[in-house]
């Protein structure tokens, strides 16, 4: 059967110019959709963008708003070189524009806000970081430090907001700005020195690939354990989650290898037992059973469908987001997982 896509059309209530090449879209969420669009700090939305060539493309944009600070739902979009979707948004989206939006997803979110945090961000990587930072300061009791790298002063996204947060809670929030125009690229040694005073904290890292690589190497050099290091990578989707999914008859069978299995799943506080056919992906199995399992890209590239395997064995067709440490802790991607044992237990909690 064809899986119905659970997207909704939302109206853009406000467009905020953050920098010359960055805009925030504030969405008007009607009361009847408030449950579907409840979110955790650090998550993202997937938007459908019109395209003359392919009818539409899908892009994931992180929320910069905080669900704990009374903010309206807001994503922030930075124009990227040769980026069709971001250019379309900056050129065409105005207050009153309506967009098709998938519900919030993503695993770049703290389990508790009552912790001390270190955030390492560069460019638009500040977007999910601001969501977590604002939530921690509004609803948590810990201390927060931010190291934020940009090309120059004019490219600092949320500069006024960060200044206000630092002035409003100087005992809980410290921000360090790194400007490439003044200090050059943030190398490993410099990031290690900046992060060292906060190496005992939970660390959240987001930014372009070179920055992420330098930051993770710096944290390894400081001995920060993997279970306190959280990474958010921006990826492009190859397929369109808004497009109609193929029926079972149209799908190329993954050669029904593997056993017929039983899946025990904990989702939204409830336990379910579902038959898992051989060769069928876990996400498809859960959706066809009527369970509201989270997902976005269906490609193994975004972590929206990540869950934890507690028992049994699975194999993944593709994985471009989970690290070896994540796999060791039992994380799997439901959209890419096939059963390799006759009983598997997972949880989304």
């Amino acid at each position: 059967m064809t899986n119905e896509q659970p997207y909704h059309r939302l109206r853009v209530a406000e467009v905020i110019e953050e920098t010359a090449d960055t805009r925030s879209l504030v969405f008007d969420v009607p009361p009847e959709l408030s449950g579907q669009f409840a979110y955790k700090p650090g998550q993202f939305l997937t938007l459908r963008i019109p395209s003359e060539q392919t009818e539409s493309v899908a892009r994931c944009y992180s929320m910069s708003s905080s669900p704990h600070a009374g903010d309206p739902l807001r994503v922030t979009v930075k124009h990227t070189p040769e980026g069709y979707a971001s250019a379309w948004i900056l050129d065409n989206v105005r207050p009153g524009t309506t967009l098709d939006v998938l519900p919030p997803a993503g695993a770049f979110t703290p389990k508790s806000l009552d912790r001390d945090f270190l955030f390492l961000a560069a460019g638009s990587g500040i977007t999910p970081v601001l969501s977590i930072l604002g939530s921690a300061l509004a609803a948590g009791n810990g201390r927060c430090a931010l190291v934020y790298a940009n090309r120059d002063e004019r490219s600092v996204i949320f500069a006024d907001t960060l200044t206000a947060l630092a002035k409003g809670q100087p005992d809980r929030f410290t921000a360090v700005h790194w400007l490439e125009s003044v200090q050059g690229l943030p190398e490993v040694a410099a990031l290690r020195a900046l992060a060292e005073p906060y190496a005992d904290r939970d660390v959240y890292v987001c930014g372009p690939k070179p920055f992420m690589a330098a930051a993770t190497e710096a944290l390894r050099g400081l001995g920060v354990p993997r279970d306190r290091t959280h990474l958010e990578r921006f990826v492009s989707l190859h397929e369109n989650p808004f497009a109609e999914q193929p029926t079972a008859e149209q799908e190329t069978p993954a050669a029904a290898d593997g056993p017929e299995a039983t899946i025990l799943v904990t989702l939204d506080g409830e336990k379910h037992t579902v038959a898992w056919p051989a060769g069928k992906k876990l996400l498809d199995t859960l959706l066809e059973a009527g369970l509201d399992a989270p997902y976005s890209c269906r490609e193994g590239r975004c972590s929206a469908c990540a869950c934890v395997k507690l028992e049994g064995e699975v194999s993944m067709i593709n994985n471009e987001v989970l690290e070896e440490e994540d796999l060791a802790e039992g994380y799997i991607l439901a959209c890419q997982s096939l059963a390799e044992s006759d009983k598997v237990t997972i949880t989304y909690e």
Side-chain angles (χ1 to χ4, degrees):
M1 61 181 291
T2 300
N3 293 327
E4 182 181 354
Q5 297 287 357
Y7 60 82
H8 301 276
R9 177 154 290 193
L10 296 183
R11 174 183 173 272
V12 176
E14 185 180 4
V15 178
I16 302 170
E17 181 175 340
E18 306 289 359
T19 68
D21 60 359
T22 307
R23 303 288 185 275
S24 288
L25 311 183
V26 180
F27 288 102
D28 180 15
V29 180
E32 63 270 20
L33 294 180
S34 60
Q36 289 92 321
F37 284 92
Y39 65 98
K40 299 175 182 178
Q43 290 191 308
F44 62 84
L45 295 178
T46 304
L47 312 183
R48 188 211 296 261
I49 309 301
S51 169
E52 293 181 357
Q53 295 181 339
T54 61
E55 293 189 0
S56 72
V57 296
R59 294 292 185 269
C60 302
Y61 296 109
S62 296
M63 263 88 73
S64 54
S65 52
S66 163
H68 300 280
D71 301 337
L73 183 67
R74 181 184 72 223
V75 300
T76 300
V77 180
K78 181 177 181 178
H79 176 54
T80 56
E82 301 181 2
Y84 166 77
S86 60
W88 187 90
I89 288 173
L90 266 64
D91 291 342
N92 294 278
V93 175
R94 302 288 183 269
T97 300
T98 57
L99 296 171
D100 290 337
V101 185
L102 284 171
F108 187 67
T109 183
K111 294 180 179 178
S112 171
L113 296 174
D114 293 325
R115 307 292 295 272
D116 290 337
F117 294 101
L118 168 63
F119 303 104
L120 303 176
S124 59
I126 191 63
T127 302
V129 162
L130 181 65
S131 179
I132 302 172
L133 170 63
S135 297
L137 293 176
N141 57 24
R143 297 165 298 163
C144 300
L146 166 68
V147 176
Y148 183 25
N150 282 283
R151 293 190 309 272
D152 51 43
E153 190 172 356
R154 291 177 299 176
S155 63
V156 178
I157 308 171
F158 308 123
D160 292 343
T161 300
L162 294 171
T163 298
L165 288 174
K167 288 183 177 179
Q169 301 197 54
D171 56 332
R172 295 187 59 206
F173 176 46
T174 301
V176 176
H177 289 277
W178 182 283
L179 301 180
E180 295 174 16
S181 60
V182 177
Q183 299 154 283
L185 291 172
E187 305 286 353
V188 173
L191 289 174
R192 184 168 57 241
L194 291 171
E196 186 172 12
Y198 313 104
D200 60 341
R201 302 185 180 188
D202 284 4
V203 188
Y204 286 76
V205 186
C206 189
K209 288 182 180 179
F211 177 84
M212 298 276 286
T216 52
E217 185 175 343
L219 294 171
R220 281 196 297 268
L222 291 171
V224 178
R226 179 62 182 85
D227 62 0
R228 286 199 285 107
T229 303
H230 309 273
L231 311 175
E232 178 75 324
R233 296 181 175 86
F234 295 136
V235 297
S236 298
L237 305 183
H238 290 155
E239 297 182 6
N240 187 349
F242 293 95
E244 183 176 355
Q245 297 299 313
T247 63
E249 292 76 16
Q250 293 170 325
E251 292 176 351
T252 54
D257 291 334
E260 297 280 341
T262 299
I263 177 72
L264 282 68
V265 55
T266 301
L267 175 64
D268 295 331
E270 297 183 359
K271 297 183 182 297
H272 307 269
T273 301
V274 178
W276 188 355
K280 183 176 284 291
K281 296 174 183 176
L282 173 58
L283 176 63
D284 294 336
T285 300
L286 298 178
L287 293 175
E288 290 185 7
L291 301 184
D292 190 21
Y295 69 95
S296 182
C297 75
R298 290 179 173 266
E299 300 174 14
R301 296 169 62 85
C302 77
S303 82
C305 66
C307 54
V308 178
K309 176 175 63 68
L310 302 176
E311 180 184 6
E313 299 298 329
V314 305
S315 60
M316 285 192 289
I317 300 170
N318 184 47
N319 168 34
E320 299 182 39
V321 64
L322 297 180
E323 303 281 344
E324 288 298 327
E325 292 86 350
D326 299 317
L327 300 175
E329 293 175 8
Y331 284 94
I332 61 173
L333 302 175
C335 74
Q336 298 295 310
S337 293
L338 303 175
E340 295 293 343
S341 61
D342 58 9
K343 181 180 179 182
V344 179
T345 302
I346 66 166
T347 179
Y348 284 90
E349 302 301 301

